[in-house]
Amino acid sequence: MPTEKQYFPLDGYTKSFWLGLEDQEEFSSHRTTRELPSEVDVLVIGSGYAGASTAHYLLHQDPALRVALYEARTACSGATGRNGGHVKPYYHRNYDLYLQMLGEKGAAEVVNSEYDHLWAIKKIVDDNNIDCDFFLTRACDVYPDKEDSRVARDLEAAKSMLANPHIYPEMKKQFQIFHGAAARMISKSPQTDIAFTYPAASCWPWKLFISILKMCVAKGLNLQTNTLVTKVTSTDNGKWVVHTPRGTTICGKVVYCTNGYTKGLLEEFSNTIVPQRGVCCSIEAADKDHTPHLTNTYGLFTSRPNSDYLINRPDGTIIVGGRDESLIKPNGDISGWFDCVDDTYVDEVSKAEFKDYMKKRFSTWENTDSDVSKIWSGILGFTNDYLPYVGELDVIGKKGCYIVAGFHGHGMPRVLFSAKAVATCITQNKKVHELEYTIPKGFFVSKERIEKPNVYEQGIHKFVKEHYDAKL
């Protein structure tokens, strides 16, 4: 009889570039108290970007709250500790989808919110003097295949976005499109015929959110790492019991900041937020005294699942993520990519994708040898409609429970305000739609959204059917 598939974080995970300091940081395995608290007001599940930010806003808005945060592994060791370090709003990318789903005002809310995130994160870093290599720069999106259908689609999306009267004028002023030789010169990408550039940033995400967690603990947060939440059950008096191998905790409110692992605890989201494995690596010049430097962060896009993202760190290290097609087996098997929570390994096929990556794609690197210094995998949470789920879970019969999850591989410019919205729901005892504007309405949880077909998954299966000899 087959074993039931589990959707919890695994031990023995690959170590990312960002987690290189983890073993030197005692706080990574912090437990505020030796035993779990018997009861708290709010219990947050997950210590990444969403969990840390939710705890931050809860304690900022109501310092008297008894807040606990349980993490299955070490602090910030999930997607937050293994992403690309890219604080990059999409702006035009996927704008056509938002326009179709949400209308002109709804699509503008998404774009404006992502723009605001950039400055809000910078303010948190500046106000708290957080050492996380935060670097304000510009993103540059290029297209290595000039004939790819993605080029025309994104250009039309950009034109439509710039024509939207509800999008911030100051953002539009900073958005530029270059063509031909100018695009190649500015981007240093000899294959592209077009380049979109706009404000973005990079950072060391693990350092940023470890710092925020430390601030929260100083304000009274009870942080319990290496404490896997296995289930959450209700009581007769309207409270919740959070179960772990170390014991249980009773709480009035539960916040699921579980992203790619959501379906492990909320079966209602089994086809709504699906885990997907990704691969990322760090690349260094073989001669570290002569390292070319790219002034932009990058997106290298195609219509296939092989779009990449890249940042150039202040120390010269390149962080590159993507190459998703390398996770699909030759026979079309996607089990090591889609609906997968195994971040304990990286395939040899994926490793080969990053060999001479920079030399092949950027003119300034064409005479520079490089080495992949570290490569890792991570688990992302992809949703049925490309948008995150934020708000109360009353719609599935879980009054007092909330969710901040499903960021579709694009959490850095979306999570902060989503966490703030849920924290405000709790401290003001309101539903997310009753709040003064905090997040795009398209992020709100609804039963209708949860039960919609997974169009993202449909797209994956369509691609596999068209490009592979699928024998699933």
Side-chain angles (χ1 to χ4, degrees):
M1 188 173 179
T3 304
E4 183 180 353
K5 191 171 182 178
Q6 296 293 311
Y7 291 95
F8 295 127
L10 301 177
D11 294 329
Y13 52 83
T14 54
K15 283 290 187 81
S16 71
F17 174 91
W18 313 119
L19 292 174
L21 297 178
E22 183 182 53
D23 294 338
Q24 304 167 37
E25 175 57 78
E26 188 176 343
F27 188 81
S28 294
S29 298
H30 179 84
R31 288 180 176 175
T32 303
T33 54
R34 184 174 179 178
E35 304 296 331
L36 299 182
S38 58
E39 184 168 356
V40 296
D41 299 314
V42 185
L43 197 146
V44 179
I45 305 172
S47 72
Y49 184 0
S53 300
T54 300
H56 167 73
Y57 284 114
L58 283 168
L59 292 165
H60 176 73
Q61 294 177 18
D62 187 353
L65 274 178
R66 296 175 300 165
V67 182
L69 191 156
Y70 291 0
E71 164 59 49
R73 305 191 295 202
T74 56
C76 293
S77 61
T80 302
R82 49 192 66 242
N83 66 24
H86 213 174
V87 187
K88 178 187 175 181
Y90 272 171
Y91 300 134
H92 68 296
R93 187 182 171 202
N94 286 340
Y95 176 82
D96 51 347
L97 296 178
Y98 308 147
L99 187 63
Q100 180 182 355
M101 290 188 295
L102 308 173
E104 201 168 51
K105 287 187 177 180
E109 286 184 350
V110 175
V111 173
N112 291 341
S113 178
E114 296 196 9
Y115 179 78
D116 285 340
H117 262 82
L118 189 61
W119 311 109
I121 293 172
K122 182 179 185 298
K123 183 172 175 19
I124 286 179
V125 170
D126 291 346
D127 288 352
N128 297 284
N129 196 28
I130 296 175
D131 174 16
C132 64
D133 297 344
F134 185 89
F135 178 61
L136 192 62
T137 182
R138 289 182 72 82
C140 185
D141 291 348
V142 295
Y143 300 78
D145 181 356
K146 301 173 185 178
E147 305 302 320
D148 194 288
S149 61
R150 184 65 182 267
V151 179
R153 176 192 162 188
D154 283 7
L155 182 58
E156 285 303 307
K159 291 177 180 177
S160 180
M161 178 202 71
L162 292 170
N164 187 332
H166 305 290
I167 290 175
Y168 296 149
E170 63 265 32
M171 191 287 289
K172 293 180 184 179
K173 289 177 183 177
Q174 297 179 72
F175 189 92
Q176 293 182 286
I177 306 174
F178 296 93
H179 298 269
R184 290 186 285 276
M185 178 62 72
I186 289 166
S187 69
K188 312 303 180 191
S189 174
Q191 295 92 7
T192 197
D193 257 352
I194 191 168
F196 301 88
T197 76
Y198 46 86
S202 62
C203 71
W204 190 309
W206 180 85
K207 280 186 174 182
L208 172 55
F209 295 104
I210 283 288
S211 296
I212 289 176
L213 282 174
K214 287 180 177 179
M215 289 161 47
C216 290
V217 168
K219 292 178 180 178
L221 173 69
N222 189 320
L223 172 62
Q224 297 287 334
T225 62
N226 298 301
T227 302
L228 172 68
V229 174
T230 55
K231 64 179 178 178
V232 179
T233 58
S234 59
T235 67
D236 293 336
N237 63 354
K239 293 189 175 183
W240 296 93
V241 182
V242 175
H243 299 255
T244 81
R246 298 176 55 212
T248 61
T249 299
I250 297 170
C251 54
K253 310 286 186 185
V254 180
V255 185
Y256 291 86
C257 297
T258 43
N259 209 35
Y261 302 100
T262 298
K263 65 191 293 183
L265 293 173
L266 292 170
E267 63 179 4
E268 295 88 350
F269 283 83
S270 291
N271 193 48
T272 305
I273 302 177
V274 182
Q276 183 169 305
R277 191 166 71 97
V279 174
C280 204
C281 75
S282 56
I283 295 174
E284 298 178 1
D287 181 357
K288 294 181 177 57
D289 292 329
H290 298 89
T291 301
H293 188 82
L294 298 168
T295 55
N296 301 301
T297 69
Y298 282 84
L300 295 89
F301 294 119
T302 81
S303 58
R304 300 170 71 97
N306 242 11
S307 295
D308 302 336
Y309 49 91
L310 177 157
I311 68 167
N312 203 145
R313 285 185 29 76
D315 64 2
T317 306
I318 303 288
I319 306 293
V320 183
R323 304 281 89 196
D324 281 3
E325 210 169 322
S326 70
L327 302 176
I328 304 174
K329 299 298 183 186
N331 68 349
D333 182 0
I334 60 173
S335 62
W337 175 44
F338 187 75
D339 200 31
C340 175
V341 295
D342 191 349
D343 58 1
T344 65
Y345 73 102
V346 177
D347 292 293
E348 292 301 319
V349 175
S350 295
K351 291 177 182 178
E353 285 287 321
F354 295 101
K355 181 177 174 56
D356 294 327
Y357 182 94
M358 299 301 292
K359 182 181 288 191
K360 294 173 182 176
R361 290 167 178 82
F362 294 98
S363 56
T364 50
W365 278 77
E366 61 185 6
N367 297 314
T368 302
D369 292 329
S370 62
D371 301 305
V372 175
S373 56
K374 196 170 274 291
I375 189 165
W376 62 93
S377 56
I379 308 304
L380 304 86
F382 281 72
T383 68
N384 58 341
D385 62 3
Y386 294 81
L387 296 172
Y389 280 79
V390 182
E392 60 281 346
L393 293 176
D394 302 33
V395 295
I396 57 172
K398 298 183 182 295
K399 185 174 175 57
C401 291
Y402 302 81
I403 189 168
V404 186
F407 288 94
H408 213 81
H410 188 56
M412 291 302 287
R414 290 183 173 175
V415 173
L416 191 69
F417 296 160
S418 297
K420 183 178 182 179
V422 162
T424 307
C425 286
I426 292 170
T427 59
Q428 295 186 7
N429 194 27
K430 292 181 178 178
K431 297 185 183 300
V432 68
H433 68 269
E434 296 173 340
L435 300 177
E436 189 176 342
Y437 175 75
T438 53
I439 55 170
K441 297 180 185 65
F443 295 5
F444 293 178
V445 178
S446 70
K447 198 166 189 297
E448 179 187 13
R449 271 192 74 200
I450 294 171
E451 295 177 348
K452 277 184 177 179
N454 193 320
V455 295
Y456 173 73
E457 181 177 3
Q458 290 171 3
I460 288 176
H461 289 300
K462 182 175 184 291
F463 174 82
V464 170
K465 185 176 181 181
E466 291 174 351
H467 294 88
Y468 291 81
D469 178 20
K471 300 173 183 177
L472 304 181

